[in-house]
Amino acid sequence: MIKMFRFYKTEVLKIKIMKSKYISLTLAFLTILFIMACKKSEVYENPYEGGKQPLGISLSLTTAPVPQEATGGSTVTFAATGLLPYKDLAVFSFNGQKAEILSITETGITVKVPEDASTGVATLSINDQVFFGPRFKVSGKISIDPEFRVSGGANRDIFAYYPLTDDRFIFLGAFTDYDGKGIITPVNRIARVFKNGSADISFRSGGADGSLYGIAPLEDKYITAGSFSGFYFNAGRSILTNINNITQLSASGEVDSVLVDTYSTNHSLAPGIPATGKKKAVPAFNGGTNSTIGKIYSYQNKLTATGNFKYYVSKRYDISRKPVIISGVTLYADSIVTDSVETPQVVRFNADGSLDKTFRFNSANNMGLPAGNGFVSSSYMQADGKLIVVGSFNKFDELPAGRIVRLNLTGTVDPVFNSGTGADQSIGSITYNPLNRKYLITGSFTSYNGVPANGIALLNEDGSIDQSFVSKGFSSDGGATFAKQLSNGMIVVSGVFSTYNGIRRSGFMVLTPTGDLAKGYNAIGSIKGYVNDLYETTNSTGQMAVMLIGSFSQIDGTTANNITRLVFEK
């Protein structure tokens, strides 16, 4: 009891002290207020003065417009209130494209859908105040194909495709899952899919440990290339290493390996220890590059690669490490030696991976030709084996080159290619349509061989510019990163632009062969991301369909994880 009393007394004392401190602080605070009150009052500016007064306008987000979907030129009424006092100041837009206002009432606004409008949010502005309305679907001759059955898509970029003869595709990229099938079977940067986009789970490739950018057939095999050093096998439980950005696959997608002798196979590593006689499993394709391969082509049983690498490399497994002497005993160990030859940006492999020294090779100095003095961004191999290379270089093999060159079968610059001074700035992509026999290039250039060409140009097969196509110009915030002409002449363009010829187009559009926006084919909304490539096909009703792959998450307001397909109506 005594101890409890002492504890209680101590706590009471603490409470009294705290109260005393509180009273003292309160008196001090009141004193400060009194002193401040005695000073002359000062008037400060209201930081919120001058703000815009509410206009009492409402553009309904809950009441659907009538009709809810329409083509360009149609009349649509949106529910709105409070507009009558401002009817002469109102500006109405469909996805950023100004519309003609036909009438304004107490309950709504009637407008005409612009011919060049695209799907997106409807907006109303009074001076500099903007009121957002509902998302409006502008219908046209292009739409997302409902037959394309891809629910999950790829979880990361799809960089390239390879069409098979049975309407299936092999996809390559940076993805580690495709359509949710990676949970069951590893999908490491390579997948085989059916025409409708669904995954072919019978494809058993373990995939690479880095990005894949290209694939080419070689007899009954495939050669795949990119930026990787290992390829998985045994259902992804094992990995074959010592790969330098390119390797050989079987028809089923499995990485091919061979058994080779190492130093210890035929030599003793230490006194009293006999040779093992065992061989080592290594990649069957013994060749590669010191850095990323962007494109790979097969021609006459040889493989040509382009990229921004500097060296061709190969492996040797039959050499020992430098021997070590311990207590007078000499010890050896197996070693993997990397041999290299300088062959910048363009290299040709023999079928086994060895360096083809008949292509771009100077035997006098034992190295490849110098290639470009700038970045190589893309390339395209013609049917005759000649190779077109584009990028940021203005010299190639020490010869003037306006960001584009064509190489002969021996790898030398083709003087017949009629590019003239070429592009005045970088070329980022090049595609070719064999039916129309035309090339399309995109980039940061503004002219080609002295002819105005704002970010996109159509070229003839000989490298000259086709002046029937005229670029109308992109927004200052970007430009085209990809363009390809379809068999009907229309041109699909993707990039980071927000307008074309002053008309709102958010990263995706369809042009006519002359460079104008194709009427009726630009109704879909923006794309979140960009297209890397496309494949022209047909759907079940025979309509033209275009499969898009790339680095995008949405198109026309619909989730599309790096793959989708569009239907083009006639």
Side-chain angles (χ1 to χ4, degrees):
M1 291 294 293
I2 295 175
K3 289 181 180 180
M4 291 179 62
F5 173 79
R6 286 177 179 173
F7 175 80
Y8 175 77
K9 186 175 183 181
T10 302
E11 291 302 303
V12 171
L13 181 61
K14 286 182 180 179
I15 292 171
K16 287 183 177 180
I17 292 172
M18 290 175 66
K19 285 183 177 181
S20 176
K21 289 181 178 180
Y22 177 80
I23 293 170
S24 299
L25 290 171
T26 303
L27 291 173
F29 180 72
L30 292 173
T31 302
I32 293 171
L33 291 178
F34 177 78
I35 294 171
M36 292 177 65
C38 292
K39 291 184 178 181
K40 185 177 180 180
S41 300
E42 295 184 30
V43 178
Y44 296 95
E45 182 180 352
N46 181 357
Y48 302 104
E49 189 174 356
K52 299 295 182 182
Q53 296 296 319
L55 301 180
I57 292 173
S58 173
L59 183 60
S60 179
L61 291 169
T62 56
T63 302
V66 181
Q68 297 184 44
E69 178 180 333
T71 59
S74 301
T75 299
V76 182
T77 299
F78 290 81
T81 57
L83 282 178
L84 282 176
Y86 309 99
K87 62 180 182 179
D88 295 331
L89 300 174
V91 176
F92 198 94
S93 299
F94 290 85
N95 195 22
Q97 203 62 31
K98 185 178 177 181
E100 178 186 356
I101 297 176
L102 301 177
S103 65
I104 293 177
T105 66
E106 292 182 355
T107 58
I109 178 171
T110 300
V111 296
K112 186 178 181 180
V113 181
E115 292 290 347
D116 48 18
S118 56
T119 299
V121 175
T123 57
L124 173 71
S125 60
I126 306 293
N127 293 325
D128 57 354
Q129 295 193 56
V130 180
F131 304 87
F132 293 94
R135 176 182 172 84
F136 186 82
K137 173 66 176 177
V138 179
S139 53
K141 297 180 179 180
I142 183 173
S143 59
I144 295 176
D145 188 353
E147 293 182 6
F148 199 61
R149 297 187 300 177
V150 180
S151 56
N155 65 338
R156 290 186 63 187
D157 315 56
I158 301 176
F159 293 125
Y161 67 84
Y162 179 76
L164 303 174
T165 56
D166 58 1
D167 283 341
R168 291 182 296 178
F169 299 91
I170 294 178
F171 286 165
L172 307 163
F175 54 87
T176 56
D177 186 23
Y178 182 82
D179 219 19
K181 302 303 185 293
I183 300 173
I184 302 171
T185 303
V187 182
N188 291 315
R189 290 97 185 176
I190 183 170
R192 190 167 65 193
V193 302
F194 294 104
K195 182 180 179 180
N196 64 6
S198 60
D200 179 1
I201 60 174
S202 68
F203 191 64
R204 298 296 183 181
S205 178
D209 63 356
S211 295
L212 298 177
Y213 296 108
I215 190 169
L218 188 66
E219 297 178 341
D220 60 342
K221 306 284 186 179
Y222 295 112
I223 303 296
T224 188
S227 180
F228 63 103
S229 60
F231 210 92
Y232 297 100
F233 66 98
N234 190 22
R237 292 187 289 270
S238 306
I239 186 168
L240 186 67
T241 57
N242 299 314
I243 295 173
N244 290 98
N245 308 302
I246 181 171
T247 199
Q248 178 176 292
L249 308 180
S250 68
S252 62
E254 291 280 5
V255 62
D256 277 344
S257 63
V258 294
L259 295 173
V260 299
D261 290 345
T262 65
Y263 183 82
S264 64
T265 303
N266 302 304
H267 300 84
S268 172
L269 298 181
I273 300 178
T276 64
K278 294 181 179 179
K279 296 177 179 289
K280 180 180 178 66
V282 301
F285 191 86
N286 187 11
T289 58
N290 70 309
S291 190
T292 302
I293 294 175
K295 297 281 188 177
I296 183 76
Y297 308 96
S298 175
Y299 184 75
Q300 294 184 344
N301 207 38
K302 293 190 177 184
L303 297 141
T304 303
T306 62
N308 288 287
F309 48 82
K310 188 175 182 180
Y311 296 97
Y312 162 85
V313 297
S314 60
K315 305 291 187 182
R316 289 195 63 185
Y317 304 94
D318 60 343
I319 297 176
S320 169
R321 293 183 185 176
K322 183 177 180 180
V324 177
I325 300 175
I326 300 177
S327 300
V329 178
T330 303
L331 304 176
Y332 297 86
D334 284 338
S335 178
I336 300 174
V337 176
T338 300
D339 291 332
S340 64
V341 179
E342 189 169 339
T343 53
Q345 297 181 332
V346 185
V347 65
R348 181 171 290 168
F349 302 94
N350 293 311
D352 62 355
S354 60
L355 178 63
D356 179 6
K357 293 187 177 181
T358 67
F359 180 81
R360 295 188 54 77
F361 194 79
N362 187 339
S363 299
N365 59 10
N366 195 39
M367 65 173 56
L369 298 177
N373 64 343
F375 199 79
V376 168
S377 58
S378 191
S379 57
Y380 180 84
M381 179 171 280
Q382 299 179 168
D384 61 1
K386 290 185 177 182
L387 183 71
I388 297 178
V389 181
V390 300
S392 64
F393 49 84
N394 56 27
K395 283 186 177 181
F396 202 92
D397 292 345
E398 306 299 339
L399 299 172
R403 287 89 188 175
I404 182 170
V405 293
R406 186 169 69 187
L407 305 181
N408 292 310
L409 293 182
T410 58
T412 57
V413 174
D414 184 358
V416 178
F417 193 62
N418 190 23
S419 59
T421 57
D424 62 338
Q425 295 294 331
S426 297
I427 299 175
S429 74
I430 181 169
T431 59
Y432 178 71
N433 189 308
L435 293 177
N436 301 317
R437 301 176 65 179
K438 302 285 184 181
Y439 289 99
L440 265 169
I441 58 172
T442 65
S444 58
F445 53 86
T446 59
S447 68
Y448 185 91
N449 197 22
V451 178
N454 195 339
I456 181 172
L458 188 66
L459 307 182
N460 298 309
E461 277 190 313
D462 66 353
S464 61
I465 188 168
D466 182 345
Q467 296 191 53
S468 67
F469 176 91
V470 178
S471 171
K472 305 305 187 295
F474 297 89
S475 52
S476 59
D477 60 349
T481 58
F482 171 84
K484 192 169 185 178
Q485 190 169 31
L486 305 177
S487 59
N488 62 3
M490 287 193 291
I491 297 169
V492 175
V493 184
S494 175
V496 292
F497 51 89
S498 58
T499 64
Y500 178 78
N501 196 24
I503 297 171
R504 177 75 175 179
R505 294 307 307 148
S506 299
F508 184 85
M509 62 184 178
V510 180
L511 303 181
T512 67
T514 60
D516 297 302
L517 286 169
K519 187 176 180 180
Y521 291 93
N522 283 280
I524 66 171
S526 62
I527 184 172
K528 290 186 178 180
Y530 48 88
V531 174
N532 290 327
D533 208 345
L534 64 80
Y535 180 80
E536 183 179 340
T537 182
T538 56
N539 66 2
S540 62
T541 61
Q543 291 178 304
M544 175 187 285
V546 175
M547 180 182 71
L548 306 178
I549 61 168
S551 307
F552 51 88
S553 60
Q554 189 182 93
I555 185 168
D556 198 29
T558 301
T559 299
N561 292 325
N562 307 303
I563 180 171
T564 191
R565 194 168 74 186
L566 305 177
V567 176
F568 282 61
E569 300 176 9
K570 294 181 181 180

